[in-house]
Amino acid sequence: MASGEVPLVVCVSTDVAVRERVVRRLDDFGTVVICSDLSELRAMLFPMVGNATDSEPGPVSLGDLSVDPGGHLVTWRGEPLALTRLERELLARLASAPLGVWTYERLFASVWGGAYLGDTAILHSAVKRLRRKLRAVEGGPQVQTVRGVGYRLAPGH
């Protein structure tokens, strides 16, 4: 390290004990930034990047499907669907206008707030869980794969 430079230590952990241990051990080392998750770290490092619509979409309707991520509610033909926050956000993106293919990169940036690094496992896993729940709904929308590109939502019938 060059003279006058101060090291920066970043600890991201949901475990309070881990965060406390890092602070105790590294407090004299330099600046220590402690966060419980990556979204908290991102908000600290880039407070002016993006806006509310980037982090959480507004209510979206597509035929009989209604998605309100802020209200934590998804309905199909007026009946609520039990989806996780991540599944609601993913579905809201796919259902938003203009309907079309959402690339892996765009979904990562919009839903996870991060850069796509070529590993689609987390996205594929989330889509798989969402598909399973949508299949349980008679005539519900379907998440279709556009091989090598991304996903699109096909309205239900």
Side-chain angles (χ1 to χ4, degrees):
M1 227 180 300
S3 176
E5 289 184 1
V6 178
L8 172 66
V9 176
V10 178
C11 171
V12 180
S13 176
T14 57
D15 188 336
V16 174
V18 168
R19 295 192 312 249
E20 289 173 349
R21 205 167 39 246
V22 167
V23 168
R24 277 194 310 273
R25 292 184 181 167
L26 299 175
D27 194 36
D28 293 334
F29 185 70
T31 303
V32 179
V33 177
I34 304 293
C35 304
S36 61
D37 61 31
L38 290 176
S39 62
E40 186 180 348
L41 175 63
R42 197 173 299 108
M44 274 196 265
L45 295 176
F46 311 107
M48 298 301 181
V49 174
N51 57 37
T53 59
D54 288 339
S55 61
E56 188 171 286
V60 176
S61 292
L62 178 64
D64 293 329
L65 177 69
S66 177
V67 184
D68 182 3
H72 307 287
L73 182 64
V74 175
T75 60
W76 173 253
R77 296 182 177 155
E79 294 296 318
L81 301 178
L83 300 179
T84 66
R85 178 197 57 80
L86 179 66
E87 292 162 349
R88 284 189 303 270
E89 288 184 16
L90 184 56
L91 188 57
R93 276 10 180 251
L94 293 170
S96 63
L99 283 181
V101 177
W102 277 74
T103 64
Y104 301 132
E105 295 86 355
R106 210 169 139 213
L107 282 170
F108 268 100
S110 185
V111 176
W112 282 270
Y116 169 68
L117 301 174
D119 182 8
T120 58
I122 188 171
L123 176 58
H124 292 317
S125 180
V127 168
K128 181 179 179 179
R129 291 189 307 272
L130 178 59
R131 280 179 170 153
R132 186 177 330 120
K133 292 178 181 181
L134 291 177
R135 272 195 302 268
V137 178
E138 186 179 331
Q142 297 176 344
V143 178
Q144 298 176 334
T145 300
V146 178
R147 194 175 191 99
V149 178
Y151 296 99
R152 73 172 148 236
L153 187 67
H157 39 65

